[in-house]
Amino acid sequence: SKGSVTMNEQTQGLIVLFCLLPLVLIALPAVFILLEAMLPDILEQSRVHLARKPRRSFFTGLVNGFFLLVLTGVLSGSGVGLLGLVGLVFLLALLLLGIVGFGALVGTVGDRVFALWERPASPGTRLVGGSLILEGLLFVPLVGWLILTALGISGFGAVLLALYPISGAPSFWIRG
């Protein structure tokens, strides 16, 4: 009818975005604070790898992430029930390691930002600050997304290095 007001899909999308955005901005720092409380040793070792060996962390994450994603895709697309289930487990493991990697990354970014201001920060403040900075990259199209992707790969690799340290690796690999 003429008197009724209808919203188009763009308006509905904007309303959902502006309602969900504050929740995401609050929820992600809470997730990273919870990770810090539950896995402090793994996150600390991952942060050490990110700070001391960023190239090694990146390439470890890139190679292993690519291999595991391909393996997950092959297993999930095989059509066999048990292999599909194994693929799903691999995917969940990748997601979990990625989230833990971002947890280490958030702490590293928070440390470095507060070091620039020459101000000591509590662990919670450091995690919230680092989280908000990384969330800000989501709003910078393409460049921010590429930076966030590269940082995420590095965080993933740092977690893998913290969980499975490389021993007997060639010297060119260790220097990175």
PDB file of all heavy atoms in Angstrom, residues 76-117:
ATOM      1  N   SER A  76      37.597 -33.054   2.529  1.00  0.00           N
ATOM      2  CA  SER A  76      36.184 -32.651   2.627  1.00  0.00           C
ATOM      3  C   SER A  76      35.429 -32.923   1.333  1.00  0.00           C
ATOM      4  O   SER A  76      34.247 -33.248   1.360  1.00  0.00           O
ATOM      5  CB  SER A  76      36.075 -31.173   2.987  1.00  0.00           C
ATOM      6  OG  SER A  76      36.643 -30.937   4.241  1.00  0.00           O
ATOM      7  N   GLY A  77      36.101 -32.772   0.206  1.00  0.00           N
ATOM      8  CA  GLY A  77      35.442 -32.959  -1.079  1.00  0.00           C
ATOM      9  C   GLY A  77      35.485 -34.376  -1.596  1.00  0.00           C
ATOM     10  O   GLY A  77      35.056 -34.641  -2.715  1.00  0.00           O
ATOM     11  N   SER A  78      35.991 -35.305  -0.807  1.00  0.00           N
ATOM     12  CA  SER A  78      36.152 -36.679  -1.277  1.00  0.00           C
ATOM     13  C   SER A  78      34.825 -37.418  -1.416  1.00  0.00           C
ATOM     14  O   SER A  78      34.734 -38.388  -2.151  1.00  0.00           O
ATOM     15  CB  SER A  78      37.072 -37.448  -0.331  1.00  0.00           C
ATOM     16  OG  SER A  78      36.439 -37.625   0.924  1.00  0.00           O
ATOM     17  N   GLY A  79      33.818 -36.993  -0.694  1.00  0.00           N
ATOM     18  CA  GLY A  79      32.527 -37.663  -0.774  1.00  0.00           C
ATOM     19  C   GLY A  79      32.411 -38.864   0.145  1.00  0.00           C
ATOM     20  O   GLY A  79      31.327 -39.424   0.298  1.00  0.00           O
ATOM     21  N   VAL A  80      33.500 -39.266   0.772  1.00  0.00           N
ATOM     22  CA  VAL A  80      33.479 -40.396   1.703  1.00  0.00           C
ATOM     23  C   VAL A  80      33.223 -39.821   3.099  1.00  0.00           C
ATOM     24  O   VAL A  80      33.868 -38.866   3.508  1.00  0.00           O
ATOM     25  CB  VAL A  80      34.819 -41.167   1.667  1.00  0.00           C
ATOM     26  CG1 VAL A  80      34.811 -42.310   2.658  1.00  0.00           C
ATOM     27  CG2 VAL A  80      35.084 -41.660   0.261  1.00  0.00           C
ATOM     28  N   GLY A  81      32.273 -40.417   3.804  1.00  0.00           N
ATOM     29  CA  GLY A  81      31.853 -39.875   5.091  1.00  0.00           C
ATOM     30  C   GLY A  81      32.969 -39.704   6.099  1.00  0.00           C
ATOM     31  O   GLY A  81      33.122 -38.644   6.705  1.00  0.00           O
ATOM     32  N   LEU A  82      33.785 -40.712   6.309  1.00  0.00           N
ATOM     33  CA  LEU A  82      34.848 -40.647   7.308  1.00  0.00           C
ATOM     34  C   LEU A  82      35.928 -39.647   6.909  1.00  0.00           C
ATOM     35  O   LEU A  82      36.403 -38.875   7.751  1.00  0.00           O
ATOM     36  CB  LEU A  82      35.457 -42.028   7.528  1.00  0.00           C
ATOM     37  CG  LEU A  82      36.523 -42.118   8.618  1.00  0.00           C
ATOM     38  CD1 LEU A  82      35.938 -41.693   9.967  1.00  0.00           C
ATOM     39  CD2 LEU A  82      37.089 -43.517   8.707  1.00  0.00           C
ATOM     40  N   LEU A  83      36.291 -39.609   5.632  1.00  0.00           N
ATOM     41  CA  LEU A  83      37.287 -38.649   5.177  1.00  0.00           C
ATOM     42  C   LEU A  83      36.759 -37.221   5.277  1.00  0.00           C
ATOM     43  O   LEU A  83      37.502 -36.295   5.596  1.00  0.00           O
ATOM     44  CB  LEU A  83      37.721 -38.956   3.748  1.00  0.00           C
ATOM     45  CG  LEU A  83      38.562 -40.215   3.551  1.00  0.00           C
ATOM     46  CD1 LEU A  83      38.885 -40.415   2.082  1.00  0.00           C
ATOM     47  CD2 LEU A  83      39.821 -40.156   4.379  1.00  0.00           C
ATOM     48  N   GLY A  84      35.485 -37.037   5.002  1.00  0.00           N
ATOM     49  CA  GLY A  84      34.873 -35.729   5.169  1.00  0.00           C
ATOM     50  C   GLY A  84      34.906 -35.273   6.619  1.00  0.00           C
ATOM     51  O   GLY A  84      35.138 -34.106   6.903  1.00  0.00           O
ATOM     52  N   LEU A  85      34.690 -36.201   7.524  1.00  0.00           N
ATOM     53  CA  LEU A  85      34.764 -35.884   8.949  1.00  0.00           C
ATOM     54  C   LEU A  85      36.183 -35.509   9.356  1.00  0.00           C
ATOM     55  O   LEU A  85      36.389 -34.554  10.108  1.00  0.00           O
ATOM     56  CB  LEU A  85      34.268 -37.074   9.775  1.00  0.00           C
ATOM     57  CG  LEU A  85      34.206 -36.871  11.282  1.00  0.00           C
ATOM     58  CD1 LEU A  85      33.231 -35.752  11.637  1.00  0.00           C
ATOM     59  CD2 LEU A  85      33.805 -38.165  11.967  1.00  0.00           C
ATOM     60  N   VAL A  86      37.165 -36.233   8.831  1.00  0.00           N
ATOM     61  CA  VAL A  86      38.564 -35.894   9.104  1.00  0.00           C
ATOM     62  C   VAL A  86      38.881 -34.505   8.542  1.00  0.00           C
ATOM     63  O   VAL A  86      39.575 -33.704   9.179  1.00  0.00           O
ATOM     64  CB  VAL A  86      39.509 -36.966   8.522  1.00  0.00           C
ATOM     65  CG1 VAL A  86      40.966 -36.527   8.609  1.00  0.00           C
ATOM     66  CG2 VAL A  86      39.309 -38.292   9.241  1.00  0.00           C
ATOM     67  N   GLY A  87      38.365 -34.188   7.359  1.00  0.00           N
ATOM     68  CA  GLY A  87      38.540 -32.856   6.781  1.00  0.00           C
ATOM     69  C   GLY A  87      37.940 -31.778   7.650  1.00  0.00           C
ATOM     70  O   GLY A  87      38.525 -30.711   7.825  1.00  0.00           O
ATOM     71  N   LEU A  88      36.770 -32.054   8.220  1.00  0.00           N
ATOM     72  CA  LEU A  88      36.137 -31.095   9.123  1.00  0.00           C
ATOM     73  C   LEU A  88      36.969 -30.884  10.382  1.00  0.00           C
ATOM     74  O   LEU A  88      37.132 -29.756  10.849  1.00  0.00           O
ATOM     75  CB  LEU A  88      34.728 -31.573   9.490  1.00  0.00           C
ATOM     76  CG  LEU A  88      33.943 -30.689  10.453  1.00  0.00           C
ATOM     77  CD1 LEU A  88      33.664 -29.333   9.827  1.00  0.00           C
ATOM     78  CD2 LEU A  88      32.652 -31.375  10.850  1.00  0.00           C
ATOM     79  N   VAL A  89      37.526 -31.964  10.914  1.00  0.00           N
ATOM     80  CA  VAL A  89      38.396 -31.853  12.093  1.00  0.00           C
ATOM     81  C   VAL A  89      39.636 -31.021  11.758  1.00  0.00           C
ATOM     82  O   VAL A  89      40.053 -30.164  12.546  1.00  0.00           O
ATOM     83  CB  VAL A  89      38.784 -33.254  12.616  1.00  0.00           C
ATOM     84  CG1 VAL A  89      39.873 -33.173  13.662  1.00  0.00           C
ATOM     85  CG2 VAL A  89      37.561 -33.964  13.173  1.00  0.00           C
ATOM     86  N   PHE A  90      40.218 -31.237  10.578  1.00  0.00           N
ATOM     87  CA  PHE A  90      41.365 -30.435  10.146  1.00  0.00           C
ATOM     88  C   PHE A  90      40.982 -28.962  10.038  1.00  0.00           C
ATOM     89  O   PHE A  90      41.738 -28.087  10.447  1.00  0.00           O
ATOM     90  CB  PHE A  90      41.886 -30.930   8.795  1.00  0.00           C
ATOM     91  CG  PHE A  90      42.931 -31.992   8.894  1.00  0.00           C
ATOM     92  CD1 PHE A  90      42.866 -32.989   9.845  1.00  0.00           C
ATOM     93  CD2 PHE A  90      43.999 -32.005   8.018  1.00  0.00           C
ATOM     94  CE1 PHE A  90      43.821 -33.983   9.932  1.00  0.00           C
ATOM     95  CE2 PHE A  90      44.963 -32.988   8.090  1.00  0.00           C
ATOM     96  CZ  PHE A  90      44.870 -33.974   9.045  1.00  0.00           C
ATOM     97  N   LEU A  91      39.810 -28.690   9.478  1.00  0.00           N
ATOM     98  CA  LEU A  91      39.360 -27.306   9.343  1.00  0.00           C
ATOM     99  C   LEU A  91      39.181 -26.651  10.708  1.00  0.00           C
ATOM    100  O   LEU A  91      39.593 -25.510  10.909  1.00  0.00           O
ATOM    101  CB  LEU A  91      38.051 -27.257   8.552  1.00  0.00           C
ATOM    102  CG  LEU A  91      37.464 -25.866   8.314  1.00  0.00           C
ATOM    103  CD1 LEU A  91      38.422 -25.022   7.488  1.00  0.00           C
ATOM    104  CD2 LEU A  91      36.114 -25.975   7.637  1.00  0.00           C
ATOM    105  N   LEU A  92      38.584 -27.364  11.641  1.00  0.00           N
ATOM    106  CA  LEU A  92      38.417 -26.819  12.993  1.00  0.00           C
ATOM    107  C   LEU A  92      39.766 -26.587  13.665  1.00  0.00           C
ATOM    108  O   LEU A  92      39.947 -25.587  14.364  1.00  0.00           O
ATOM    109  CB  LEU A  92      37.541 -27.744  13.832  1.00  0.00           C
ATOM    110  CG  LEU A  92      36.080 -27.825  13.412  1.00  0.00           C
ATOM    111  CD1 LEU A  92      35.342 -28.877  14.239  1.00  0.00           C
ATOM    112  CD2 LEU A  92      35.404 -26.474  13.537  1.00  0.00           C
ATOM    113  N   ALA A  93      40.715 -27.490  13.450  1.00  0.00           N
ATOM    114  CA  ALA A  93      42.060 -27.312  14.012  1.00  0.00           C
ATOM    115  C   ALA A  93      42.740 -26.081  13.413  1.00  0.00           C
ATOM    116  O   ALA A  93      43.377 -25.304  14.130  1.00  0.00           O
ATOM    117  CB  ALA A  93      42.899 -28.561  13.776  1.00  0.00           C
ATOM    118  N   LEU A  94      42.584 -25.890  12.103  1.00  0.00           N
ATOM    119  CA  LEU A  94      43.138 -24.700  11.457  1.00  0.00           C
ATOM    120  C   LEU A  94      42.536 -23.427  12.022  1.00  0.00           C
ATOM    121  O   LEU A  94      43.244 -22.447  12.289  1.00  0.00           O
ATOM    122  CB  LEU A  94      42.893 -24.753   9.949  1.00  0.00           C
ATOM    123  CG  LEU A  94      43.840 -25.608   9.126  1.00  0.00           C
ATOM    124  CD1 LEU A  94      43.324 -25.731   7.700  1.00  0.00           C
ATOM    125  CD2 LEU A  94      45.217 -24.998   9.131  1.00  0.00           C
ATOM    126  N   LEU A  95      41.228 -23.426  12.207  1.00  0.00           N
ATOM    127  CA  LEU A  95      40.569 -22.248  12.771  1.00  0.00           C
ATOM    128  C   LEU A  95      41.039 -21.972  14.198  1.00  0.00           C
ATOM    129  O   LEU A  95      41.303 -20.821  14.567  1.00  0.00           O
ATOM    130  CB  LEU A  95      39.049 -22.424  12.732  1.00  0.00           C
ATOM    131  CG  LEU A  95      38.407 -22.356  11.352  1.00  0.00           C
ATOM    132  CD1 LEU A  95      36.925 -22.718  11.432  1.00  0.00           C
ATOM    133  CD2 LEU A  95      38.587 -20.976  10.746  1.00  0.00           C
ATOM    134  N   LEU A  96      41.155 -23.016  14.987  1.00  0.00           N
ATOM    135  CA  LEU A  96      41.613 -22.848  16.364  1.00  0.00           C
ATOM    136  C   LEU A  96      43.036 -22.315  16.408  1.00  0.00           C
ATOM    137  O   LEU A  96      43.331 -21.373  17.151  1.00  0.00           O
ATOM    138  CB  LEU A  96      41.517 -24.176  17.114  1.00  0.00           C
ATOM    139  CG  LEU A  96      41.987 -24.157  18.557  1.00  0.00           C
ATOM    140  CD1 LEU A  96      41.093 -23.242  19.388  1.00  0.00           C
ATOM    141  CD2 LEU A  96      41.995 -25.542  19.143  1.00  0.00           C
ATOM    142  N   LEU A  97      43.924 -22.891  15.614  1.00  0.00           N
ATOM    143  CA  LEU A  97      45.305 -22.402  15.577  1.00  0.00           C
ATOM    144  C   LEU A  97      45.370 -20.963  15.046  1.00  0.00           C
ATOM    145  O   LEU A  97      46.187 -20.168  15.503  1.00  0.00           O
ATOM    146  CB  LEU A  97      46.170 -23.322  14.722  1.00  0.00           C
ATOM    147  CG  LEU A  97      46.467 -24.694  15.325  1.00  0.00           C
ATOM    148  CD1 LEU A  97      47.162 -25.575  14.301  1.00  0.00           C
ATOM    149  CD2 LEU A  97      47.288 -24.572  16.581  1.00  0.00           C
ATOM    150  N   GLY A  98      44.506 -20.633  14.097  1.00  0.00           N
ATOM    151  CA  GLY A  98      44.456 -19.264  13.592  1.00  0.00           C
ATOM    152  C   GLY A  98      44.004 -18.276  14.646  1.00  0.00           C
ATOM    153  O   GLY A  98      44.563 -17.182  14.776  1.00  0.00           O
ATOM    154  N   ILE A  99      43.021 -18.647  15.433  1.00  0.00           N
ATOM    155  CA  ILE A  99      42.539 -17.761  16.504  1.00  0.00           C
ATOM    156  C   ILE A  99      43.616 -17.581  17.561  1.00  0.00           C
ATOM    157  O   ILE A  99      43.855 -16.464  18.034  1.00  0.00           O
ATOM    158  CB  ILE A  99      41.232 -18.315  17.107  1.00  0.00           C
ATOM    159  CG1 ILE A  99      40.091 -18.178  16.094  1.00  0.00           C
ATOM    160  CG2 ILE A  99      40.877 -17.589  18.402  1.00  0.00           C
ATOM    161  CD1 ILE A  99      38.830 -18.925  16.486  1.00  0.00           C
ATOM    162  N   VAL A 100      44.292 -18.662  17.930  1.00  0.00           N
ATOM    163  CA  VAL A 100      45.384 -18.554  18.898  1.00  0.00           C
ATOM    164  C   VAL A 100      46.511 -17.702  18.313  1.00  0.00           C
ATOM    165  O   VAL A 100      47.124 -16.897  19.022  1.00  0.00           O
ATOM    166  CB  VAL A 100      45.878 -19.953  19.327  1.00  0.00           C
ATOM    167  CG1 VAL A 100      47.101 -19.853  20.212  1.00  0.00           C
ATOM    168  CG2 VAL A 100      44.776 -20.710  20.047  1.00  0.00           C
ATOM    169  N   GLY A 101      46.778 -17.854  17.018  1.00  0.00           N
ATOM    170  CA  GLY A 101      47.786 -17.029  16.354  1.00  0.00           C
ATOM    171  C   GLY A 101      47.429 -15.554  16.401  1.00  0.00           C
ATOM    172  O   GLY A 101      48.289 -14.698  16.658  1.00  0.00           O
ATOM    173  N   PHE A 102      46.163 -15.234  16.185  1.00  0.00           N
ATOM    174  CA  PHE A 102      45.743 -13.836  16.291  1.00  0.00           C
ATOM    175  C   PHE A 102      45.838 -13.357  17.738  1.00  0.00           C
ATOM    176  O   PHE A 102      46.114 -12.187  17.991  1.00  0.00           O
ATOM    177  CB  PHE A 102      44.331 -13.633  15.742  1.00  0.00           C
ATOM    178  CG  PHE A 102      44.311 -13.275  14.288  1.00  0.00           C
ATOM    179  CD1 PHE A 102      43.932 -14.202  13.344  1.00  0.00           C
ATOM    180  CD2 PHE A 102      44.694 -12.021  13.860  1.00  0.00           C
ATOM    181  CE1 PHE A 102      43.927 -13.895  12.003  1.00  0.00           C
ATOM    182  CE2 PHE A 102      44.697 -11.692  12.525  1.00  0.00           C
ATOM    183  CZ  PHE A 102      44.314 -12.632  11.577  1.00  0.00           C
ATOM    184  N   GLY A 103      45.619 -14.263  18.691  1.00  0.00           N
ATOM    185  CA  GLY A 103      45.796 -13.895  20.101  1.00  0.00           C
ATOM    186  C   GLY A 103      47.224 -13.477  20.394  1.00  0.00           C
ATOM    187  O   GLY A 103      47.472 -12.489  21.093  1.00  0.00           O
ATOM    188  N   ALA A 104      48.186 -14.222  19.858  1.00  0.00           N
ATOM    189  CA  ALA A 104      49.592 -13.857  20.026  1.00  0.00           C
ATOM    190  C   ALA A 104      49.894 -12.553  19.306  1.00  0.00           C
ATOM    191  O   ALA A 104      50.620 -11.688  19.822  1.00  0.00           O
ATOM    192  CB  ALA A 104      50.487 -14.976  19.499  1.00  0.00           C
ATOM    193  N   LEU A 105      49.321 -12.384  18.137  1.00  0.00           N
ATOM    194  CA  LEU A 105      49.531 -11.173  17.352  1.00  0.00           C
ATOM    195  C   LEU A 105      48.977  -9.944  18.053  1.00  0.00           C
ATOM    196  O   LEU A 105      49.611  -8.884  18.076  1.00  0.00           O
ATOM    197  CB  LEU A 105      48.871 -11.363  15.988  1.00  0.00           C
ATOM    198  CG  LEU A 105      49.148 -10.350  14.924  1.00  0.00           C
ATOM    199  CD1 LEU A 105      50.625 -10.318  14.600  1.00  0.00           C
ATOM    200  CD2 LEU A 105      48.353 -10.690  13.686  1.00  0.00           C
ATOM    201  N   VAL A 106      47.811 -10.085  18.638  1.00  0.00           N
ATOM    202  CA  VAL A 106      47.180  -8.973  19.357  1.00  0.00           C
ATOM    203  C   VAL A 106      48.082  -8.511  20.503  1.00  0.00           C
ATOM    204  O   VAL A 106      48.286  -7.318  20.705  1.00  0.00           O
ATOM    205  CB  VAL A 106      45.786  -9.406  19.872  1.00  0.00           C
ATOM    206  CG1 VAL A 106      45.301  -8.519  20.983  1.00  0.00           C
ATOM    207  CG2 VAL A 106      44.792  -9.402  18.726  1.00  0.00           C
ATOM    208  N   GLY A 107      48.638  -9.474  21.244  1.00  0.00           N
ATOM    209  CA  GLY A 107      49.535  -9.115  22.337  1.00  0.00           C
ATOM    210  C   GLY A 107      50.793  -8.417  21.846  1.00  0.00           C
ATOM    211  O   GLY A 107      51.259  -7.445  22.452  1.00  0.00           O
ATOM    212  N   THR A 108      51.340  -8.899  20.735  1.00  0.00           N
ATOM    213  CA  THR A 108      52.549  -8.294  20.174  1.00  0.00           C
ATOM    214  C   THR A 108      52.279  -6.869  19.707  1.00  0.00           C
ATOM    215  O   THR A 108      53.055  -5.955  19.981  1.00  0.00           O
ATOM    216  CB  THR A 108      53.071  -9.144  18.995  1.00  0.00           C
ATOM    217  OG1 THR A 108      53.327 -10.465  19.475  1.00  0.00           O
ATOM    218  CG2 THR A 108      54.327  -8.561  18.399  1.00  0.00           C
ATOM    219  N   VAL A 109      51.178  -6.671  18.995  1.00  0.00           N
ATOM    220  CA  VAL A 109      50.820  -5.321  18.521  1.00  0.00           C
ATOM    221  C   VAL A 109      50.581  -4.399  19.710  1.00  0.00           C
ATOM    222  O   VAL A 109      51.055  -3.254  19.734  1.00  0.00           O
ATOM    223  CB  VAL A 109      49.582  -5.379  17.598  1.00  0.00           C
ATOM    224  CG1 VAL A 109      49.034  -3.988  17.317  1.00  0.00           C
ATOM    225  CG2 VAL A 109      49.929  -6.086  16.308  1.00  0.00           C
ATOM    226  N   GLY A 110      49.857  -4.881  20.715  1.00  0.00           N
ATOM    227  CA  GLY A 110      49.612  -4.063  21.904  1.00  0.00           C
ATOM    228  C   GLY A 110      50.896  -3.678  22.610  1.00  0.00           C
ATOM    229  O   GLY A 110      51.071  -2.522  23.034  1.00  0.00           O
ATOM    230  N   ASP A 111      51.828  -4.620  22.746  1.00  0.00           N
ATOM    231  CA  ASP A 111      53.128  -4.318  23.359  1.00  0.00           C
ATOM    232  C   ASP A 111      53.855  -3.221  22.602  1.00  0.00           C
ATOM    233  O   ASP A 111      54.372  -2.271  23.196  1.00  0.00           O
ATOM    234  CB  ASP A 111      54.019  -5.564  23.370  1.00  0.00           C
ATOM    235  CG  ASP A 111      53.680  -6.524  24.481  1.00  0.00           C
ATOM    236  OD1 ASP A 111      53.017  -6.112  25.456  1.00  0.00           O
ATOM    237  OD2 ASP A 111      54.089  -7.701  24.366  1.00  0.00           O
ATOM    238  N   ARG A 112      53.901  -3.349  21.303  1.00  0.00           N
ATOM    239  CA  ARG A 112      54.663  -2.395  20.491  1.00  0.00           C
ATOM    240  C   ARG A 112      54.010  -1.014  20.460  1.00  0.00           C
ATOM    241  O   ARG A 112      54.712  -0.003  20.450  1.00  0.00           O
ATOM    242  CB  ARG A 112      54.846  -2.941  19.081  1.00  0.00           C
ATOM    243  CG  ARG A 112      55.780  -4.133  19.087  1.00  0.00           C
ATOM    244  CD  ARG A 112      56.111  -4.613  17.723  1.00  0.00           C
ATOM    245  NE  ARG A 112      57.036  -5.749  17.817  1.00  0.00           N
ATOM    246  CZ  ARG A 112      57.636  -6.272  16.786  1.00  0.00           C
ATOM    247  NH1 ARG A 112      57.417  -5.798  15.576  1.00  0.00           N
ATOM    248  NH2 ARG A 112      58.458  -7.284  16.946  1.00  0.00           N
ATOM    249  N   VAL A 113      52.694  -0.971  20.455  1.00  0.00           N
ATOM    250  CA  VAL A 113      52.014   0.330  20.439  1.00  0.00           C
ATOM    251  C   VAL A 113      52.237   1.063  21.757  1.00  0.00           C
ATOM    252  O   VAL A 113      52.563   2.252  21.778  1.00  0.00           O
ATOM    253  CB  VAL A 113      50.511   0.155  20.148  1.00  0.00           C
ATOM    254  CG1 VAL A 113      49.744   1.417  20.454  1.00  0.00           C
ATOM    255  CG2 VAL A 113      50.309  -0.251  18.703  1.00  0.00           C
ATOM    256  N   PHE A 114      52.090   0.365  22.870  1.00  0.00           N
ATOM    257  CA  PHE A 114      52.292   1.028  24.146  1.00  0.00           C
ATOM    258  C   PHE A 114      53.758   1.349  24.380  1.00  0.00           C
ATOM    259  O   PHE A 114      54.080   2.295  25.102  1.00  0.00           O
ATOM    260  CB  PHE A 114      51.696   0.205  25.290  1.00  0.00           C
ATOM    261  CG  PHE A 114      50.203   0.325  25.365  1.00  0.00           C
ATOM    262  CD1 PHE A 114      49.390  -0.688  24.897  1.00  0.00           C
ATOM    263  CD2 PHE A 114      49.610   1.470  25.871  1.00  0.00           C
ATOM    264  CE1 PHE A 114      48.011  -0.568  24.933  1.00  0.00           C
ATOM    265  CE2 PHE A 114      48.234   1.605  25.915  1.00  0.00           C
ATOM    266  CZ  PHE A 114      47.429   0.586  25.452  1.00  0.00           C
ATOM    267  N   ALA A 115      54.684   0.602  23.766  1.00  0.00           N
ATOM    268  CA  ALA A 115      56.105   0.938  23.851  1.00  0.00           C
ATOM    269  C   ALA A 115      56.396   2.242  23.097  1.00  0.00           C
ATOM    270  O   ALA A 115      57.267   3.013  23.501  1.00  0.00           O
ATOM    271  CB  ALA A 115      56.954  -0.199  23.293  1.00  0.00           C
ATOM    272  N   LEU A 116      55.663   2.494  22.011  1.00  0.00           N
ATOM    273  CA  LEU A 116      55.840   3.752  21.281  1.00  0.00           C
ATOM    274  C   LEU A 116      55.486   4.957  22.155  1.00  0.00           C
ATOM    275  O   LEU A 116      56.091   6.016  22.046  1.00  0.00           O
ATOM    276  CB  LEU A 116      54.958   3.764  20.022  1.00  0.00           C
ATOM    277  CG  LEU A 116      55.379   2.866  18.875  1.00  0.00           C
ATOM    278  CD1 LEU A 116      54.329   2.904  17.775  1.00  0.00           C
ATOM    279  CD2 LEU A 116      56.729   3.291  18.330  1.00  0.00           C
ATOM    280  N   TRP A 117      54.476   4.793  23.003  1.00  0.00           N
ATOM    281  CA  TRP A 117      54.060   5.880  23.894  1.00  0.00           C
ATOM    282  C   TRP A 117      54.880   5.907  25.178  1.00  0.00           C
ATOM    283  O   TRP A 117      54.660   6.752  26.018  1.00  0.00           O
ATOM    284  CB  TRP A 117      52.586   5.746  24.255  1.00  0.00           C
ATOM    285  CG  TRP A 117      51.669   6.019  23.120  1.00  0.00           C
ATOM    286  CD1 TRP A 117      51.892   6.838  22.063  1.00  0.00           C
ATOM    287  CD2 TRP A 117      50.366   5.482  22.947  1.00  0.00           C
ATOM    288  NE1 TRP A 117      50.804   6.833  21.227  1.00  0.00           N
ATOM    289  CE2 TRP A 117      49.853   6.000  21.751  1.00  0.00           C
ATOM    290  CE3 TRP A 117      49.588   4.599  23.678  1.00  0.00           C
ATOM    291  CZ2 TRP A 117      48.594   5.684  21.284  1.00  0.00           C
ATOM    292  CZ3 TRP A 117      48.339   4.277  23.205  1.00  0.00           C
ATOM    293  CH2 TRP A 117      47.852   4.828  22.026  1.00  0.00           C
TER     294      TRP A 117
END
